[in-house]
């Protein structure tokens, strides 16, 4: 019998062999439960699940040996401190928090590392400041420095006017954002979430595609702009010439979090909330028509066929995910966080 605090992860039959064949592991965030999860393989080939507590963790960005994570009022860089071939308690990746910035509760969603931004900001981070309806960068003396705001936002105010949430990098620069609406009043996005979503090119301020339903997680991959049209349950890409969203696969859950590896995409799924904003989304009717229920977990989609080829279902205390990333060349990663004594004892020396 499941208890209120229980957690159960069930992988499809070929999920673990796929992780092995691809030589990858996965990391994902669940802000609802305040957990950072690492999914890899044990030495016997069985699933390895490692979690750490990180309050309201959301955005993820992986670059080499670094993982960047947004949390309730801070941004963190975790660094793998193990050399190739080295292990720690059976894990081949040990991610340790190395750098943090206090931002205040900005409701940070997506974040990226951009070496080519015009001014070399601290850590070269650009993040979605959802509370202020803008993109921001780090400041050495303030909570954030504004980087860009939508042309329809008349004032930077802590009002979450349009629910700006997603950010995609193209050729090393921030390029596309997703927003749930073009509202310019406090919390106005909730009134336009059915068909008010759009993608904006932040270099030109042009609307790339509109009429979307709660879009999230724009990503540039293989010369295409991919995203999640979360309110309809569709994963797909934008035909930039025609300004149209092209669905590729339907997923049985509210989608947030998208990453790519080779011919595969991994998509994070959440249960659909019961409040008024989410109750009338088209995905609810589509699930009913397919005699299915929204689930929480990860799905792996074959980009060549559009088929969901592997799944990881999550049941229990975790009901919502936000972001997911691949960790190439790590079989079984873990992290040190702040709520155990381990962080006092893991000490490394830079002898390079």
């Amino acid at each position: 019998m499941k208890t209120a605090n229980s957690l159960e992860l069930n992988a499809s039959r070929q999920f673990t062999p796929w992780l092995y064949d691809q030589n990858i592991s996965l990391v994902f965030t669940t802000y609802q439960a305040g957990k950072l999860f690492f999914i890899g393989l044990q030495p016997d080939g069985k699933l390895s699940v490692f979690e750490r507590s990180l309050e309201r963790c959301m955005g993820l960005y992986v670059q080499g040996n670094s993982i960047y994570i947004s949390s309730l009022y801070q941004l963190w860089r975790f660094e793998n401190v193990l050399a190739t071939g080295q292990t720690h308690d059976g894990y081949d990746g040990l991610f340790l928090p190395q750098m943090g910035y206090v931002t205040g509760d900005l409701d940070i969603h997506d974040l990226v590392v951009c070496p080519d931004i015009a001014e070399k900001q601290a850590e070269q981070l650009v993040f979605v400041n959802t509370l202020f309806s803008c993109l921001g960068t780090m400041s050495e003396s303030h909570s954030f420095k504004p980087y860009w705001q939508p042309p329809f936002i008349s004032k930077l105010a802590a009002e979450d006017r349009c629910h700006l949430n997603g950010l995609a990098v193209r050729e090393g620069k921030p390029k596309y954002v997703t927003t749930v609406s073009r509202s310019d009043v406090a919390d106005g996005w909730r009134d336009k979430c059915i068909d008010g979503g759009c993608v904006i090119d932040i270099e030109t301020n042009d609307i790339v595609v509109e009429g979307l339903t709660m879009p999230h997680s724009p990503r540039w991959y293989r010369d295409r702009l991919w995203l999640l049209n979360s309110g309809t349950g569709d994963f797909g890409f934008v035909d930039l010439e025609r300004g149209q969203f092209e669905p590729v696969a339907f997923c049985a859950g509210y989608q947030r979090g998208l990453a790519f590896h080779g011919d595969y995409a991994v998509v994070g799924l959440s249960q659909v909330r019961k409040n008024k904003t989410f109750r009338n989304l088209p995905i609810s009717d589509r699930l009913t028509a397919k005699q299915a229920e929204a689930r929480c977990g990860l799905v792996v989609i074959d980009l060549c066929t559009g088929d969901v080829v592997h799944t990881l279902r999550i049941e229990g205390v975790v009901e919502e995910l936000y972001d997911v990333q691949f960790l190439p060349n790590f079989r079984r990663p873990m992290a040190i966080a702040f709520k155990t004594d381990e962080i006092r004892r893991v000490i490394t020396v830079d002898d390079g």
Side-chain angles (χ1 to χ4, degrees):
M1 179 183 296
K2 293 186 178 69
T3 65
N5 295 318
S6 67
L7 179 65
E8 185 175 308
L9 286 81
N10 293 299
S12 57
R13 192 164 60 90
Q14 296 300 322
F15 181 75
T16 50
W18 176 76
L19 288 179
Y20 182 85
D21 291 341
Q22 298 295 314
N23 192 25
I24 56 173
S25 55
L26 293 162
V27 57
F28 65 86
T29 54
T30 165
Y31 69 96
Q32 164 254 338
K35 296 290 185 180
L36 176 70
F37 281 90
F38 292 86
I39 304 298
L41 296 175
Q42 300 179 45
D44 61 3
K46 294 181 180 179
L47 197 68
S48 170
V49 180
F50 189 92
E51 57 91 4
R52 287 297 191 191
S53 296
L54 199 60
E55 194 172 10
R56 196 174 168 80
C57 52
M58 294 184 70
L60 279 174
Y61 193 83
V62 171
Q63 181 170 275
N65 276 320
S66 304
I67 302 177
Y68 296 82
I69 308 171
S70 69
S71 61
L72 179 62
Y73 57 89
Q74 294 166 304
L75 280 170
W76 288 101
R77 174 168 59 82
F78 282 64
E79 197 75 16
N80 173 47
V81 296
L82 297 182
T84 302
Q86 188 179 5
T87 62
H88 174 84
D89 292 339
Y91 294 87
D92 65 348
L94 176 61
F95 288 89
L96 186 69
Q98 292 286 343
M99 180 71 73
Y101 291 93
V102 176
T103 61
D105 188 357
L106 301 177
D107 196 18
I108 293 174
H109 280 55
D110 283 9
L111 60 95
V112 300
V113 178
C114 297
D116 295 334
I117 61 177
E119 297 182 26
K120 298 297 184 181
Q121 305 292 336
E123 293 285 333
Q124 301 167 353
L125 281 167
V126 180
F127 56 87
V128 178
N129 184 339
T130 301
L131 181 65
F132 280 82
S133 308
C134 71
L135 299 183
T137 59
M138 303 312 304
S139 168
E140 297 290 349
S141 56
H142 296 77
S143 296
F144 73 99
K145 181 177 181 179
Y147 179 78
W148 173 88
Q149 69 189 71
F152 50 80
I153 296 295
S154 59
K155 176 186 177 182
L156 288 182
E159 296 177 346
D160 188 8
R161 296 183 175 189
C162 62
H163 206 64
L164 185 70
N165 57 43
L167 173 59
V169 171
R170 181 176 177 180
E171 297 175 356
K173 297 180 181 179
K175 179 64 173 174
Y176 303 106
V177 297
T178 48
T179 181
V180 170
S181 79
R182 282 179 269 183
S183 170
D184 192 32
V185 299
D187 209 32
W189 64 272
R190 295 184 186 276
D191 301 321
K192 298 292 182 181
C193 59
I194 299 297
D195 58 2
C198 64
V199 177
I200 307 171
D201 183 329
I202 72 169
E203 292 184 348
T204 65
N205 284 338
D206 291 336
I207 303 296
V208 173
V209 62
E210 55 188 345
L212 300 173
T213 306
M214 304 281 277
H216 284 81
S217 308
R219 306 285 186 259
W220 184 261
Y221 185 70
R222 290 185 175 176
D223 297 323
R224 276 184 172 173
L225 176 61
W226 303 82
L227 60 84
L228 308 175
N229 200 24
S230 307
T232 67
D234 290 314
F235 157 74
F237 64 90
V238 176
D239 185 322
L240 294 174
E241 292 187 359
R242 295 190 297 142
Q244 185 169 323
F245 175 73
E246 299 290 344
V248 171
F250 175 78
C251 300
Y254 186 78
Q255 305 166 316
R256 279 177 308 206
L258 171 63
F260 294 90
H261 175 81
D263 291 330
Y264 300 97
V266 61
V267 176
L269 301 183
S270 300
Q271 296 182 21
V272 180
R273 297 176 198 165
K274 305 299 182 182
N275 61 33
K276 179 181 178 182
T277 302
F278 287 75
R279 190 183 308 126
N280 297 320
L281 294 177
I283 186 175
S284 297
D285 291 336
R286 295 186 71 184
L287 287 168
T288 299
K290 293 176 181 292
Q291 298 189 35
E293 295 183 1
R295 63 185 65 167
C296 178
L298 302 174
V299 295
V300 178
I301 299 171
D302 186 327
L303 297 176
C304 300
T305 64
D307 295 339
V308 174
V309 290
H310 308 294
T311 62
L312 179 69
R313 298 192 66 165
I314 303 173
E315 298 178 324
V317 65
V318 174
E319 298 179 348
E320 297 186 21
L321 308 187
Y322 182 74
D323 211 351
V324 60
Q325 291 286 323
F326 286 104
L327 291 172
N329 304 314
F330 287 98
R331 290 287 190 195
R332 193 187 187 199
M334 65 168 287
I336 301 295
F338 307 99
K339 294 190 175 182
T340 70
D341 288 339
E342 289 175 288
I343 195 167
R344 296 189 302 164
R345 300 192 299 269
V346 178
I347 300 172
T348 62
V349 178
D350 185 350
D351 56 4

